[in-house]
Amino acid sequence: PWRRSLNSLSPRATPYQVLSQFSSQVAGSYAADELLPRMARVLDEGTGAERSIVWLRAGDVLRAAATWPLAETANMTAAIPMSNGRLPALPGATRAVEVRHQGELLGALSVEKRRGESLTPVEEKLLDDLAHQAGLVLKNVGLTADLQRRLEELRASRQRLGSAQDAERRKLERNLHDGAQQHLVALKVKLELAE
């Protein structure tokens, strides 16, 4: 349904169409790894940008999480350091806006227009409005990534615990075999000699 509905949008969809489309897609349940490229695509189609990027904050750096067109994803920029929790200058961006949720900076949206082009006031408003709606999406993506990381840590912890239990079991078996069992055999031999 997403491709069909996006394909029905003209290459330069109206801001209302873009926001409506984005809202309806976010309302559906999509995996986090699908949402960010979709967001970049909607942003690109609504602004007619040459490239659109969705940035995620990770500590004190911003990382490009999704780009449109997708061919650009392989060439995504490395992490960009932030200073004082403020949005840094993003490379190649004609305009970048912060994405916040409940006052917390979660990332940014940036567009790169073709040389000599600039954003129209309508496209700037669209970028701002999309950034406001994207706050909850980026918050959920961050929470999902955090849960995924914790799940991996839990799996690794379980594996370490299982390995430690196996090692302890082997140690007890070795101690029983080498220690107590040898003493019992020695006692049996002594009893037989005593008889």
Side-chain angles (χ1 to χ4, degrees):
W2 171 259
R3 285 195 177 109
R4 185 174 1 114
S5 57
L6 266 184
N7 289 339
S8 67
L9 291 177
S10 65
R12 298 293 298 263
T14 67
Y16 174 77
Q17 287 173 313
V18 171
L19 287 173
S20 175
Q21 187 68 33
F22 179 71
S23 296
S24 66
Q25 294 307 315
V26 168
S29 58
Y30 291 99
D33 59 339
E34 293 177 15
L35 271 176
L36 299 182
R38 289 173 189 212
M39 188 183 304
R41 182 176 179 176
V42 166
L43 181 60
D44 188 79
E45 290 183 357
T47 61
E50 188 170 60
R51 181 166 78 155
S52 299
I53 304 176
V54 177
W55 301 84
L56 288 180
R57 180 180 181 181
D60 289 335
V61 298
L62 282 180
R63 295 187 190 280
T67 64
W68 191 263
L70 289 175
E72 298 289 325
T73 303
N75 303 324
M76 284 201 280
T77 310
I80 299 175
M82 297 172 46
S83 62
N84 300 328
R86 294 192 171 176
L87 192 62
L90 300 175
T94 303
R95 181 145 187 266
V97 293
E98 295 178 341
V99 176
R100 293 184 174 271
H101 180 68
Q102 296 179 345
E104 178 186 2
L105 179 64
L106 301 173
L109 301 178
S110 70
V111 293
E112 184 179 330
K113 296 289 272 190
R114 287 166 190 78
R115 175 168 270 149
E117 287 186 25
S118 61
L119 289 168
T120 66
V122 171
E123 291 169 342
E124 287 194 23
K125 174 129 176 61
L126 169 67
L127 185 58
D128 291 337
D129 291 345
L130 196 54
H132 283 82
Q133 287 193 11
L136 186 56
V137 172
L138 293 190
K139 182 68 172 178
N140 287 338
V141 166
L143 289 173
T144 301
D146 189 41
L147 286 174
Q148 200 67 10
R149 182 184 51 77
R150 288 181 182 190
L151 182 60
E152 291 302 318
E153 287 174 1
L154 181 61
R155 284 183 183 141
S157 174
R158 278 185 169 173
Q159 190 172 11
R160 285 191 306 271
L161 186 59
S163 295
Q165 287 175 337
D166 287 345
E168 192 62 31
R169 181 184 47 78
R170 284 191 296 275
K171 182 179 173 185
L172 284 172
E173 287 173 352
R174 191 173 46 252
N175 286 344
L176 284 174
H177 182 269
D178 295 343
Q181 185 178 4
Q182 295 300 324
H183 289 298
L184 288 175
V185 169
L187 282 174
K188 181 181 175 190
V189 170
K190 288 180 184 178
L191 281 174
E192 287 175 358
L193 288 175
E195 285 177 353

